[in-house]
């Protein structure tokens, strides 16, 4: 299945005006959404079960890096088999920015939420070109008002980072469909690998329809 019919004129790369307009819409909507998300993420409740495990995995990865324990870092990444290490690596700069505070891990999901919306705007720009502003606005509006997205933006689960990785794959796929060059193919392969190391089942859900 292709994103567009080659018998028709292909969309060009997303024009800067469309992307900037879409990102501006995304910024406004997401700022409003984050006012809802942030109090929940910083409510002071102690994490439990899977949430606690994801936060601990990310903090352990961060701790190995800041202390220079390269061998332990590599072993820790290798041993994260049940939950792949993609989310831990995504959390790492947020832990670094907060000095190892648990808030770093929690805010990483809020950042993934915002990045997913922004990347969706870029994806629609690749597909629809100058016509992308309306579907981009609708997509961001739906995301920023979705109870599902808002809920997962408050917890350090793999769903939000997995959604971001999926949209990145779609952007790389759209670019490959447009250019069909070796560089676009390499970026598509890299994005699929990142998705695999973030959430296995999300890779299956996306790769099978695109194959």
């Amino acid at each position: 299945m292709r994103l567009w019919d080659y018998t028709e004129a292909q969309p060009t790369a997303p024009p800067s005006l469309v992307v900037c307009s879409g990102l501006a819409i995304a910024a406004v909507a997401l700022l409003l959404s984050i006012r809802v998300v942030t109090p929940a993420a910083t409510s002071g409740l102690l994490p439990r079960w899977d949430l606690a495990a994801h936060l601990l995995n990310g903090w352990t990865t961060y701790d190995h890096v800041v202390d220079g324990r390269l061998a332990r870092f590599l072993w820790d990444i290798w041993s994260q088999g049940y939950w792949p290490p993609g989310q831990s690596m995504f959390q790492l700069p947020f832990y670094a920015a907060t000095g190892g505070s648990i808030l770093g891990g929690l805010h990483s999901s809020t950042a993934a939420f915002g990045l997913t919306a922004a990347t969706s705007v870029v994806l629609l720009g690749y597909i629809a070109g100058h016509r992308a502003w309306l579907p981009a606005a609708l997509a961001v509006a739906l995301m920023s008002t979705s109870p599902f997205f808002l809920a997962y933006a408050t917890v350090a689960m793999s769903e939000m980072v997995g959604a971001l990785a999926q949209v990145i794959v779609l952007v790389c796929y759209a670019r490959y469909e447009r250019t069909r060059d070796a560089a676009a193919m390499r970026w598509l392969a890299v994005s699929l690998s990142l998705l695999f190391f973030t959430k296995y089942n999300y890779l299956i859900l996306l790769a099978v329809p695109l194959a």
Side-chain angles (χ1 to χ4, degrees), residues 11-208:
T12 59
S16 58
L17 179 61
V18 173
V19 173
C20 291
S21 300
L23 293 180
I25 296 169
V28 172
L30 292 172
L31 283 174
L32 295 174
S33 301
I34 289 170
R35 290 183 62 86
V36 177
V37 169
T38 302
T42 59
S43 62
L45 297 175
L46 291 176
R48 298 182 179 182
W49 307 110
D50 291 358
L51 170 57
H54 289 301
L55 289 170
L56 179 60
N57 284 341
W59 185 88
T60 302
T61 301
Y62 155 79
D63 190 54
H64 290 327
V65 170
V66 295
D67 284 348
R69 298 191 296 267
L70 178 60
R72 294 289 300 276
F73 166 76
L74 293 174
W75 175 253
D76 180 61
I77 293 299
W78 174 259
S79 63
Q80 291 183 36
Y82 186 76
W83 286 306
Q87 184 174 12
S88 297
M89 297 300 294
F90 183 80
Q91 289 177 351
L92 201 158
F94 297 93
Y95 274 117
T98 58
S101 168
I102 190 175
L103 293 179
L106 292 172
H107 287 319
S108 69
S109 291
T110 308
F113 170 65
L115 289 171
T116 301
T119 310
S120 299
V121 172
V122 176
L123 171 63
L124 290 167
Y126 266 110
I127 296 174
H130 288 285
R131 297 168 296 175
W133 67 271
L134 180 57
L138 289 174
V140 172
L142 290 172
M143 283 188 61
S144 59
T145 56
S146 165
F148 178 85
F149 274 104
L150 292 176
Y152 277 106
T154 67
V155 292
M157 298 291 284
S158 58
E159 278 75 10
M160 204 67 255
V161 181
L164 172 60
Q166 277 191 315
V167 179
I168 291 173
V169 168
L170 289 173
V171 169
C172 293
Y173 179 78
R175 181 171 180 265
Y176 170 71
E177 282 288 285
R178 183 171 57 84
T179 63
R180 291 281 174 162
D181 59 17
M185 183 180 293
R186 284 193 294 270
W187 279 113
L188 177 58
V190 169
S191 66
L192 286 168
S193 299
L194 289 175
L195 180 56
F196 175 79
F197 286 110
T198 301
K199 200 166 176 65
Y200 305 134
N201 55 329
Y202 277 27
L203 173 69
I204 297 171
L205 290 171
L206 188 60
V208 171

